[in-house]
Amino acid sequence: MPRHRRHLATEPTRRTPVIRAGRRRYVQHSADLAAAMGISLGTFRNRRPYAADGFPPAISAPDARVMLWDSRQTEAHLTGRPVPELPQDDSEDDLLDRSEAAALLGVTPKTWDSYKTDPHLAPHLTKVKGVEHCPRGAVQTFRESRALAGRPKGSRDRIPRDEILPRVGELLDADAALTSAAVQQHLGVSAATATRALTRLRAERLTDLLLTNPALTPADAAGRLGYPANVQRAVLTAAATELRARRIRPYLQDVADALAEAGLADRQDVRVQRVGPDPQKLAAAVTLTEPGIGALVWDEGAGWRTAASRRNPIGKTPGCPPEGDKIHYLGDDPHLAPADLLKQLEPSIRTTGLSF
């Protein structure tokens, strides 16, 4: 992608929550803004000064977990000077967060998560104040490459793993009764891969429907979505697991955010997963930056523990607590409050004689 800056033709002018080209050095997060205001982060969160009328709007997406501002704007506001306008013209050097990149591609943020490892995107990903961003130009190049490459119906060419779910999702949008055989024919994937993808996507959509329509039974929801009777049993089981995973994820994300704020981890989205054949076994991991401790692992049955590996911290047998010099348990409470978890973890970090 060319490195020179050029302005791009876009939709009519609107305020876009992005980091405009050349303004990365002005980005501040909550801790920066609290320090600039001379208050603690806790006080900042309680008072929410950014919600007051006239306060410069955040440059992060409305649904962003980490709020960001432009320090030139907030500084002007706090000192009583006119708040400068941000550039309105889109540039290929603008930095887009997860939600904005997904919007530019016309997909969901979850689909963006599967796209971002593509060779057209991965080298361009960058973190600003712990939040992952991608240049607008790289996202547009990726969009254009997909439009040009396409994939003829019935193609048996193999596709990258990260594209499987989005591509199967497109087929499922067109045909709720889609079969694994049809997925194999269209995408050239194995029968096992097609079945896994279909079951996962159907379970996610079924869960979405149940959460928005609590009066529905799972079976009624499956029927409303048009799922064939022969796949409903597997989908209902997977949906039950998906529902439990979604209920626990906010707590796990709070833990991950607390670790990031304490400087022990980078900002990250926690993924709850089923490990092993038992659908009742869920686990998740938060990768740490602390030397010697690869990750913190949450296990439904065993609570929190440390793990040396960042590559595969969970392992394959949640519910069967692993042992060893590099494993340190932080209590068996699977819902330990983030602050209490940090207290449990602190001695482990300070203890030089303990091997992780």
Side-chain angles (χ1 to χ4, degrees):
M1 183 180 70
R3 298 309 307 155
H4 64 279
R5 184 178 303 171
R6 60 181 173 86
H7 292 298
L8 305 168
T10 60
E11 305 171 352
T13 300
R14 62 183 177 88
R15 189 201 164 277
T16 307
V18 301
I19 300 173
R20 287 302 186 185
R23 302 192 69 84
R24 177 173 181 161
R25 63 187 181 276
Y26 301 133
V27 177
Q28 60 183 179
H29 53 30
S30 297
D32 298 327
L33 187 50
M37 299 178 71
I39 59 178
S40 69
L41 182 57
T43 300
F44 177 85
R45 286 177 169 168
N46 289 333
R47 293 182 181 175
R48 295 167 54 89
Y50 51 84
D53 290 341
F55 200 93
I59 57 173
S60 47
D63 60 347
R65 195 174 67 253
V66 178
M67 297 186 70
L68 302 174
W69 292 267
D70 185 290
S71 63
R72 287 295 181 88
Q73 289 193 316
T74 58
E75 180 183 6
H77 175 77
L78 295 174
T79 56
R81 294 182 286 111
V83 176
E85 290 286 338
L86 296 180
Q88 290 296 318
D89 291 334
D90 289 345
S91 165
E92 66 175 8
D93 291 332
D94 291 340
L95 295 177
L96 312 184
D97 68 8
R98 176 176 180 254
S99 295
E100 280 295 319
L104 183 57
L105 292 177
V107 299
T108 66
K110 184 178 290 187
T111 299
W112 164 258
D113 291 340
S114 66
Y115 282 169
K116 69 181 184 181
T117 56
D118 185 276
H120 290 94
L121 294 171
H124 302 287
L125 297 178
T126 183
K127 286 192 174 181
V128 183
K129 296 297 182 179
V131 181
E132 191 172 71
H133 286 74
C134 190
R136 184 188 302 277
V139 179
Q140 290 188 322
T141 298
F142 173 74
R143 183 175 64 179
E144 292 162 5
S145 70
R146 284 178 57 81
L148 290 172
R151 185 168 298 274
K153 186 175 181 179
S155 169
R156 292 183 177 273
D157 294 341
R158 294 190 178 277
I159 62 175
R161 179 177 298 179
D162 293 326
E163 288 191 22
I164 291 174
L165 283 177
R167 297 297 300 278
V168 175
E170 293 171 359
L171 295 174
L172 191 57
D173 287 339
D175 180 9
L178 183 69
T179 65
S180 296
V183 173
Q184 289 179 264
Q185 178 184 1
H186 284 287
L187 303 182
V189 296
S190 70
T193 297
T195 300
R196 281 196 300 268
L198 274 174
T199 300
R200 175 176 171 180
L201 288 170
R202 282 180 166 134
E204 290 176 352
R205 296 178 182 195
L206 181 61
T207 302
D208 290 340
L209 183 56
L210 289 172
L211 290 175
T212 55
N213 295 271
L216 286 178
T217 67
D220 288 341
R224 180 175 294 190
L225 290 170
Y227 294 163
N230 64 326
V231 303
Q232 287 192 16
R233 181 175 180 180
V235 171
L236 292 176
T237 298
T241 302
E242 174 70 13
L243 185 59
R244 290 173 48 247
R246 292 193 191 186
R247 286 172 175 166
I248 193 63
R249 188 182 180 280
Y251 158 69
L252 298 175
Q253 192 62 61
D254 285 345
V255 171
D257 292 344
L259 290 168
E261 289 176 7
L264 300 177
D266 291 329
R267 296 285 177 182
Q268 57 195 284
D269 292 322
V270 177
R271 184 172 72 91
V272 185
Q273 62 187 82
R274 189 185 87 182
V275 184
D278 187 348
Q280 298 302 313
K281 300 297 184 182
L282 297 179
V286 180
T287 303
L288 301 182
T289 55
E290 187 69 23
I293 307 178
L296 272 185
V297 174
W298 173 83
D299 185 303
E300 249 183 329
W304 289 93
R305 68 172 184 270
T306 60
S309 172
R310 289 184 175 89
R311 187 180 185 88
N312 184 25
I314 294 176
K316 298 181 178 180
T317 55
C320 298
E323 298 180 358
D325 293 338
K326 296 183 178 181
I327 305 294
H328 181 61
Y329 286 87
L330 307 177
D332 57 4
D333 183 359
H335 298 91
L336 195 64
D340 294 334
L341 183 62
L342 285 172
K343 291 178 182 177
Q344 294 269 11
L345 182 62
E346 186 178 357
S348 301
I349 295 174
R350 291 201 313 263
T351 304
T352 56
L354 183 61
S355 175
F356 292 96

